[in-house]
Amino acid sequence: MKSEFLKYQAQTSPYPLALEISHAKGSYIYDTNKKAYLDFVAGVSACTLGHSHPKVIEAIKNQADKYLHVMVYGEYAQQPAVQLCQFMAKHLPDPLEATYLVNSGTEAIEGAIKLARRVTGRSQIIAAHNAYHGNTMGSLSLMDFEERKAPFRPLLPDISHITFNYEPHFKHITQKTAAVIVETIQGGAGFIEPTNDYLAKLKTRCHEVGALLILDEIQPGIGRTGKLFGFQNYNVIPDIVVTGKGLGGGLPIGAFTASKTHMDTLQNSPKLGHITTFGGNPLIAASALATLKQVVNSDLMSEVLNKEKLIKKHLKHPLITKIRGRGLMLAALTTSEDITNQVILEAQNQGLILFWLLFEPKALRITPPLTISNEELIKGCGIIIDLLNKISDQNKS
Ligand SMILES: Cc1ncc(COP(=O)(O)O)c(C=O)c1O
């Protein structure tokens, strides 16, 4: 399969891992040689309940027996999407009540940008340095890495950047600003948590000047930090919350949620302020609803912080300088990019899936499914420590 994969499936990564997948179950992915890989990545924070969770599969099968796509977004009342949006409203704080369902995280970011512009009548969007919000033209515009943006210009105008956790930059948020968008926990930058009430202060500053605060929860959302939404750890309620990834239970989804009053601006002058064919797709909504219900109605979230402690306890090594992040969104930083690369590549040979972060080359991504067991966590950490010991020994000799 590998040569066909490289030939026919368009590639943008110069070095794809090219694991040939047979199937996946629980915390394990199996290759076509029947080798099992313990999954410490969860499809990049997407497989909240691991692989092929029975509740998710049952919901998908039940829905598949009833109907698939029947109409474009927002015309027909379809139970899975209605119940999903209602469930989100019930578990989000006021006034976050109305959810627009789309097909990916980046598309939800696009919707949030449009909504902020529509609500405020302003155009400027402020994002954070080292942020990642997706790769379509609007989301790409929010990124501050010129080498990744330059070949695709012109992008959205009126975008500027502030430094995450740096309050003096609040002065750049003015009456020209439609919205400030930040990740609740910066992902690609290295799983950097907000400190010193940063997000609450950021919201106060936004509201002083009539701007909206958009929080990108695409990675921290859906239980990964021990709360259903990451911002619930930080004493803040955004004006717009954007979710995706882990919401879908392994199927593609994105969503942006705001107050009904704000969301209604997309309905008038012009009408149809946002359109999608497949957003709210019944199969995907059924999978997302089953995922959310399982996260909320189990002890998965209450176990997340214990699992964080366990990982930190078992990942002590002189070549690991620190572990950043919260819950099951952790980045173990090694002493060099080269060591990180060796560990990720060799771990795969040893049957452990690890991965990189976009902008922090020394980070080992540890974002397992929330359903991973303590034994599996200890086993995976043991593989990492053995590899680091081997690298230490090689460096000595
Ligand atoms: C914080 C954050 N925002 C947005 C996105 C984009 O989501 P998608 O890849 O579903 O478009 C990602 C994906 O990695 C992300 O981590």
Side-chain angles (χ1 to χ4, degrees), residues 44 104-107 109 132-134 183 216 218-219 245 253:
V44 184
S104 64
T106 194
E107 199 184 327
I109 295 288
Y132 182 75
H133 297 289
E183 296 159 90
D216 180 342
I218 289 168
Q219 222 175 147
K245 280 193 189 275
I253 197 165

Side-chain angles (χ1 to χ4, degrees), residues 217-394:
E217 283 274 336
I218 289 168
Q219 222 175 147
I222 324 302
R224 190 154 285 284
T225 66
K227 303 267 187 203
L228 193 55
F229 300 95
F231 69 79
Q232 293 170 317
N233 295 295
Y234 305 111
N235 183 33
V236 65
I237 299 173
D239 299 292
I240 305 175
V241 62
V242 185
T243 45
K245 280 193 189 275
L247 176 62
L251 293 184
I253 197 165
F256 57 105
T257 306
S259 72
K260 177 97 174 86
T261 319
H262 282 170
M263 207 55 108
D264 282 350
T265 60
L266 291 177
Q267 203 173 20
N268 302 298
S269 318
K271 64 185 178 185
L272 296 172
H274 197 65
I275 297 175
T276 159
T277 297
F278 284 120
N281 176 276
L283 201 68
I284 292 170
S287 171
L289 183 62
T291 303
L292 272 183
K293 281 186 175 165
Q294 184 64 15
V295 170
V296 168
N297 299 326
S298 67
D299 58 3
L300 285 175
M301 277 196 286
S302 59
E303 280 301 308
V304 160
L305 295 185
N306 291 334
K307 288 178 178 168
E308 173 188 339
K309 277 193 205 130
L310 194 72
I311 293 170
K312 286 183 170 164
K313 182 173 152 204
H314 286 270
L315 268 194
K316 292 205 169 102
H317 194 279
L319 292 179
I320 293 180
T321 54
K322 60 173 99 98
I323 299 183
R324 287 212 206 111
R326 187 182 190 98
L328 289 177
M329 185 177 172
L330 299 177
L333 276 83
T334 74
T335 49
S336 77
E337 182 175 343
D338 187 43
I339 288 175
T340 293
N341 288 340
Q342 283 184 55
V343 171
I344 292 172
L345 296 175
E346 190 49 36
Q348 185 170 305
N349 295 334
Q350 303 291 325
L352 175 69
I353 308 275
L354 292 172
F355 207 55
W356 294 266
L357 295 187
L358 257 182
F359 307 132
E360 176 44 270
K362 290 182 185 171
L364 296 168
R365 165 187 281 275
I366 300 175
T367 56
L370 306 193
T371 46
I372 195 162
S373 70
N374 290 347
E375 294 69 34
E376 288 165 338
L377 282 177
I378 292 169
K379 176 179 164 186
C381 290
I383 294 174
I384 296 172
I385 295 295
D386 286 349
L387 287 172
L388 289 171
N389 283 337
K390 220 191 266 173
I391 292 169
S392 290
D393 290 346
Q394 277 162 6

Side-chain angles (χ1 to χ4, degrees), residues 69-122:
H69 179 76
V70 288
M71 192 30 146
V72 295
Y73 181 88
E75 288 297 332
Y76 295 170
Q78 301 173 47
Q79 199 175 54
V82 174
Q83 287 186 346
L84 173 59
C85 294
Q86 192 178 11
F87 196 94
M88 296 272 283
K90 187 171 160 214
H91 291 276
L92 277 163
D94 286 341
L96 298 169
E97 187 188 14
T99 295
Y100 195 116
L101 297 168
V102 290
N103 310 285
S104 64
T106 194
E107 199 184 327
I109 295 288
E110 303 284 340
I113 294 172
K114 285 172 72 181
L115 179 60
R117 284 186 162 189
R118 191 66 191 80
V119 167
T120 60
R122 305 172 184 177

